[in-house]
Amino acid sequence: MNRTTTRESLEASLQDLDFPAEKPRILECAERNGADDDTVAALRAIPPVGYGSWTELISAVRVESDDDRS
């Protein structure tokens, strides 16, 4: 299973997430919003710490760049 996701998938899966957020709540939110398997796997791979903002979270997730898709 891929441990990367797209920024678009991440944003859609976590649209109603409030910060600060711990990893279990992030995963719960993604699963509740129907995140795809790659997005869930990418979120499971993040360190188990608290994230104070979207910027902190996105820097911990392996997000595909446009170069990865070609």
Side-chain angles (χ1 to χ4, degrees), residues 14 19 25 35 38-39 43 46 52 61-62 67:
L14 300 175
F19 291 93
R25 193 156 61 86
D38 289 341
T39 300
L43 289 169
I46 65 174
V61 178
R62 291 187 60 199
D67 295 338

Side-chain angles (χ1 to χ4, degrees), residues 3-70:
R3 289 183 180 241
T4 63
T5 187
T6 64
R7 186 177 182 99
E8 294 80 21
S9 293
L10 205 56
E11 288 173 351
S13 300
L14 300 175
Q15 62 191 350
D16 57 350
L17 180 66
D18 292 322
F19 291 93
E22 299 284 330
K23 183 177 177 177
R25 193 156 61 86
I26 294 167
L27 285 165
E28 177 185 301
C29 180
E31 291 170 348
R32 181 180 66 244
N33 287 322
D36 60 69
D37 291 342
D38 289 341
T39 300
V40 172
L43 289 169
R44 287 185 196 272
I46 65 174
V49 298
Y51 295 89
S53 67
W54 174 255
T55 303
E56 287 180 21
L57 177 59
I58 195 78
S59 69
V61 178
R62 291 187 60 199
V63 176
E64 292 178 5
S65 69
D66 291 335
D67 295 338
D68 294 338
R69 292 184 221 165
S70 20

